[in-house]
Amino acid sequence: MPELSLAEKLEILADGAKYDVSCASSGSSRRNKGGIGNAAQCGICHSWTADGRCVSLLKILLTNACIYDCAYCVNRRSNDTRRVLLTPAEVAELTIGFYRRNAIEGLFLSTGVVKDPDHTMELLIEATSILREEHRFNGYIHVKVVPGADLLLVDRLGRLADRVSVNMELPSRESLQLLAPDKSREAIVAPMKRVGELIVQTKEERKVSRKIPPFAPAGQSTQLIIGASGESDLQIVSLAAGLYGRLSMKRVYYSAFIPVNTDTRLPSVVGTPPLVREHRLYQADWLMRYYGFAAGELLDEEHPNLDLSLDPKAGWALRNLHLFPVEVNRAPLELLLRVPGIGVRSAQRIVGARRGGHLSLDDLALLGVVMKRARYFVTARGRFGADMTPDAAGLQARLTERTTPRPRWSQPSLFDGANAIDIRSTITGEL
Amino acid sequence: MILRYDGTFAGFLTAVALARERSAEPEAITDREPEQQGLFAAVEEVETDRDRAGELYQLIRRTLPAGAVQTLRYAFHAGEPGREILLFRYLQLGLTTGPRFGAMLAHEAVIPVWKLARAVGREAHRYKGLVRFRQLEGDVWYAAMEPDHRILPLIAPHFAARFADQRWIIHDRRRNEAVAFDPARREWADIPLEVTGPLPLSAGEELFRDLWQRYFDRLSIAERHNPKLQRQNLPLKHRRHLPEFERE
């Protein structure tokens, strides 16, 4: 068999990595210390592919060979595909070549599991340390942790990378057993816990001495596949809430299930992947992280799934009409954040602007409030701007008008905390 | 009164200082040929006076909150003709209001300037990702762009910090302005630049362009194909100097 060219290897290994939806390059502010590159706190997108997702990192596998046989995975052992391997030095060379051209913000390195988890982790660590030490690369690096690897290796990797992640993939123990029988829940959760502890601990130590290298300064993330197994949105959202709360997770990514294998254990999907459901889950996730919503406020046993035709904040508002309308000149920030049509930025702007004078309904639109939705839920100087008093049925009809779900939103969250790229911070340089 | 200045920030501030002295709002402050010269108002050439400009700038910094000063600086880089008079009104209000100015976000003199600043800030942020370098013979890294606003001075510090060991040039082909960075002195300089012929690429450049194009094509997931979303995120006007779209 002739040796494959670097270009052919790149194609095969990019193909194997693209289903991982994590793309963010934010949350780290590494400085260029006498080499090449730095990391921008707000994250930077460099291009957008034909599916509308952004390109921020060179997202690639070290190898697509794998000892596991997970039903949903394109690289599973039983698939008859060509297996290739990049050397750690080749990974570094590609990263630097693209980085110097400013085509990428850094590296996202994932891999199949070769030989055993420890060996695989050592290869990842080698690629990362070649970049950091030989090339003196200070750009963003996100590396996968291999479940089941020695926790000391997790420790080493986290000191080199900006972000580490362990993919959970399946939201419950049962689905995991069915679809990824080679992996155990424990093997996934143990490194997550370790990473969580080290992040907290290192932050404390660095308060005492800045000489201690940061541990995964951009935090850890994970990915859940949506629609490959039978979990409800309530189960998924509660799981995410737990990950944010207990494991100090930075991001949970939701990936609409795309059938890449034929397997009787998987649902037979016809048509497009559940992109609207994925979008609604991202919205719910956003509400939990930035708007102060608890999982139980968005979903409960009676309503275990998100409404596909209505965004989760509007859904919550319709169930809680007794709280509305709110007077924008008086309402506290927390309540403004709960008004449909008012986002984090416009809520902050309202609070800022009303110090300078009473706001009218017209002012709200200028401050970025989406009045099409908000007018049913606010008053300004006591004035109500809609032609109807809110009742749930009528409002539901109004709010879903012409907003029938279109599968346009693949990943609303191009940067971690899109709110972090609040333009004011771009302008003032405040972080 | 129509005031014509040289296009620099100092020139603009000189014009503002002049107008303030006369306690009059000019019909226009501009750095280009007025279209209807002398019909209603005479065009007055403003000679940039760095001392006066500096004095006014100190007054602005003392009086306006820091965020408002940044908004002013960003909005000044906007490509829109007529921005100067908006900035003038913004400044007049800010200088009479003082620290409270920061809370006047909904004021009619503030909103248009704030919107300009936001547009400039967004474009500057966006081009941190869209400036694409090519390696030329002699190890110079060259990037061409055609932004709507004058964002070169706003993005130069980002690239100077990031590519501190490269000799690079970022070229605004719309305005024939460029920034050149010298890694030995760790400094950048504004230079006028016009490129007419094709540029001599380094030996490795074709290889990396090919690698990048192949990589880019593989990244898209067929089942999620959505060119409309792609166009929303990356309008056609921004694709002109990106190698991954060169073949379209």
Side-chain angles (χ1 to χ4, degrees):
Chain A
M1 203 190 319
E3 174 67 7
L4 287 177
S5 70
L6 188 59
E8 288 164 314
K9 289 206 245 178
L10 176 67
E11 285 185 330
I12 293 171
L13 294 170
D15 242 347
K18 68 181 170 194
Y19 296 99
D20 203 308
V21 294
S22 162
C23 71
S25 60
S26 59
S28 207
S29 49
R30 217 170 260 279
R31 287 182 39 214
N32 186 354
K33 297 174 282 253
I36 173 182
N38 58 9
Q41 179 73 25
C42 54
I44 295 172
C45 298
H46 289 249
S47 195
W48 280 265
T49 61
D51 57 22
R53 299 188 305 159
C54 82
V55 182
S56 176
L57 305 170
L58 168 63
K59 197 186 286 188
I60 196 168
L61 300 176
L62 188 77
T63 175
N64 64 342
C66 194
I67 57 172
Y68 295 150
D69 207 35
C70 305
Y72 51 80
C73 181
V74 69
N75 301 310
R76 64 174 178 175
R77 187 181 59 222
S78 56
N79 276 2
D80 181 24
T81 47
R82 188 140 195 206
R83 308 291 173 167
V84 295
L85 173 92
L86 285 173
T87 63
E90 282 174 325
V91 171
E93 185 198 332
L94 283 169
T95 308
I96 295 292
F98 289 149
Y99 195 85
R100 284 211 182 273
R101 288 164 178 81
N102 200 39
I104 53 169
E105 191 62 15
L107 171 68
F108 172 101
L109 186 59
S110 183
T111 184
V113 182
V114 275
K115 226 161 89 182
D116 59 61
D118 283 354
H119 174 73
T120 312
M121 276 286 273
E122 275 162 9
L123 289 174
L124 296 175
I125 290 171
E126 196 188 333
T128 316
S129 60
I130 289 174
L131 271 169
R132 289 280 192 238
E133 278 144 33
E134 287 175 29
H135 293 280
R136 309 185 70 188
F137 177 69
N138 301 301
Y140 191 90
I141 301 180
H142 177 162
V143 191
K144 289 278 152 194
V145 168
V146 185
D150 193 313
L151 294 183
L152 286 173
L153 295 172
V154 175
D155 195 337
R156 274 173 57 199
L157 186 64
R159 307 252 172 234
L160 293 163
D162 292 276
R163 168 172 291 181
V164 292
S165 58
V166 194
N167 277 1
M168 198 159 238
E169 306 290 19
L170 296 162
S172 72
R173 192 182 293 274
E174 295 70 36
S175 321
L176 193 69
Q177 202 160 34
L178 177 69
L179 298 176
D182 306 317
K183 288 190 199 157
S184 75
R185 182 88 161 178
E186 286 67 33
I188 292 170
V189 175
M192 273 184 186
K193 276 194 180 143
R194 180 73 183 145
V195 169
E197 287 161 12
L198 284 170
I199 288 175
V200 174
Q201 187 190 320
T202 312
K203 263 193 195 140
E204 285 305 310
E205 288 169 5
R206 277 173 60 81
K207 280 182 195 159
V208 183
S209 164
R210 300 299 284 180
K211 281 190 186 138
I212 293 164
F215 184 90
Q220 69 165 325
S221 63
T222 191
Q223 165 170 290
L224 295 170
I225 299 175
I226 303 310
S229 47
E231 288 81 11
S232 68
D233 290 344
L234 174 61
Q235 278 171 283
I236 291 164
V237 168
S238 311
L239 173 64
L243 292 172
Y244 288 131
R246 285 196 300 280
L247 292 179
S248 58
M249 189 73 65
K250 187 88 176 189
R251 279 294 300 274
V252 176
Y253 289 95
Y254 308 92
S255 171
F257 171 61
I258 295 167
V260 289
N261 301 320
T262 43
D263 192 303
T264 50
R265 291 169 291 171
L266 293 170
S268 53
V269 181
V270 262
T272 49
L275 293 175
V276 180
R277 186 179 176 206
E278 179 193 277
H279 175 53
R280 294 291 178 228
L281 281 166
Y282 273 117
Q283 288 181 315
D285 190 88
W286 230 249
L287 291 179
M288 292 196 293
R289 287 186 298 138
Y290 293 106
Y291 291 76
F293 282 85
E297 289 181 284
L298 300 170
L299 294 161
D300 54 41
E301 296 297 339
E302 269 174 61
H303 309 90
N305 287 302
L306 294 164
D307 188 339
L308 293 186
S309 62
L310 197 64
D311 72 84
K313 196 199 224 182
W316 175 85
L318 290 182
R319 293 193 298 278
N320 293 279
L321 281 177
H322 59 280
L323 297 172
F324 297 103
V326 304
E327 168 56 47
V328 290
N329 286 298
R330 277 197 308 272
L333 179 68
E334 303 78 62
L335 190 53
L336 288 176
L337 284 171
R338 293 190 165 225
V339 176
I342 299 184
V344 172
R345 277 179 267 173
S346 44
Q348 286 167 345
R349 237 175 263 139
I350 288 171
V351 172
R354 69 188 181 187
R355 274 187 250 128
H358 261 54
L359 299 177
S360 70
L361 287 171
D362 292 338
D363 292 335
L364 291 183
L366 292 172
L367 290 172
V369 174
V370 185
M371 288 307 283
K372 203 170 85 181
R373 288 202 294 283
R375 65 197 168 119
Y376 303 105
F377 303 97
V378 295
T379 57
R381 299 178 184 164
R383 224 184 109 216
F384 184 63
D387 55 349
M388 62 184 285
T389 30
D391 77 83
L395 267 181
Q396 167 120 21
R398 284 285 181 92
L399 292 172
T400 50
E401 233 170 55
R402 292 187 56 234
T403 51
T404 30
R406 281 165 294 176
R408 333 175 1 213
W409 312 91
S410 51
Q411 239 177 300
S413 48
L414 299 176
F415 323 83
D416 262 6
N419 309 299
I421 51 155
D422 185 340
I423 199 63
R424 277 180 327 164
S425 64
T426 316
I427 291 174
T428 60
E430 78 194 22
L431 296 172
Chain B
M1 152 175 67
I2 293 176
L3 299 176
R4 192 135 72 99
Y5 70 108
D6 61 359
T8 64
F9 192 58
F12 167 69
L13 289 181
T14 312
V16 173
L18 197 75
R20 280 173 60 81
E21 252 166 45
R22 298 183 196 163
S23 325
E25 180 174 317
E27 273 90 326
I29 304 175
T30 179
D31 60 348
R32 49 187 94 194
E33 281 305 321
E35 276 152 33
Q36 286 187 306
Q37 198 162 10
L39 196 53
F40 297 108
V43 176
E44 201 173 323
E45 298 288 339
V46 176
E47 199 166 322
T48 301
D49 181 338
R50 297 209 149 260
D51 291 341
R52 274 174 102 180
E55 228 167 78
L56 178 59
Y57 192 56
Q58 287 315 314
L59 177 69
I60 291 169
R61 302 243 326 218
R62 276 200 309 275
T63 319
L64 270 56
V69 179
Q70 281 283 10
T71 302
L72 175 79
R73 297 227 53 160
Y74 268 64
F76 179 73
H77 285 91
E80 271 81 356
R83 66 188 189 278
E84 292 93 345
I85 208 72
L86 298 174
L87 293 176
F88 178 81
R89 288 183 197 136
Y90 177 84
L91 265 179
Q92 285 290 67
L93 181 69
L95 289 171
T96 41
T97 314
R100 221 162 42 81
F101 187 51
M104 298 177 77
L105 295 170
H107 194 282
E108 60 180 11
V110 175
I111 283 188
V113 173
W114 174 72
K115 281 193 172 156
L116 282 180
R118 186 176 59 170
V120 173
R122 278 189 180 156
E123 189 174 58
H125 174 76
R126 174 157 276 247
Y127 268 93
K128 286 179 185 174
L130 296 179
V131 162
R132 210 51 60 80
F133 291 102
R134 285 179 287 168
Q135 191 183 30
L136 307 183
E137 269 175 20
D139 203 26
V140 175
W141 299 79
Y142 170 87
M145 62 172 188
E146 290 169 60
D148 292 339
H149 307 295
R150 280 194 61 233
I151 56 166
L152 259 182
L154 302 176
I155 62 174
H158 170 80
F159 289 104
R162 172 163 291 192
F163 299 115
D165 62 347
Q166 266 168 237
R167 271 171 67 201
W168 53 257
I169 294 169
I170 303 173
H171 186 190
D172 182 340
R173 293 183 88 136
R174 187 178 263 198
R175 297 169 183 83
N176 289 327
E177 294 170 356
V179 166
F181 178 80
D182 175 5
R185 304 170 59 185
R186 309 202 97 186
E187 282 175 2
W188 69 88
D190 302 316
I191 51 168
L193 185 65
E194 211 173 335
V195 172
T196 42
L199 293 159
L201 298 178
S202 77
E205 193 52 35
E206 284 296 338
L207 168 72
F208 261 96
R209 187 156 61 184
D210 176 56
L211 284 175
W212 178 249
Q213 288 172 345
R214 288 184 191 225
Y215 171 70
F216 183 80
D217 291 344
R218 286 300 174 116
L219 274 186
S220 171
I221 297 176
E223 290 87 344
R224 302 180 74 124
H225 188 66
N226 193 345
K228 210 175 138 194
L229 179 60
Q230 183 190 29
R231 210 162 46 242
Q232 194 176 311
N233 284 323
L234 187 64
L236 300 176
K237 66 174 179 184
H238 286 138
R239 299 186 188 180
R240 203 167 303 150
H241 299 287
L242 298 177
E244 60 268 33
F245 295 103
E246 255 169 25
R247 301 146 296 164
E248 281 182 3

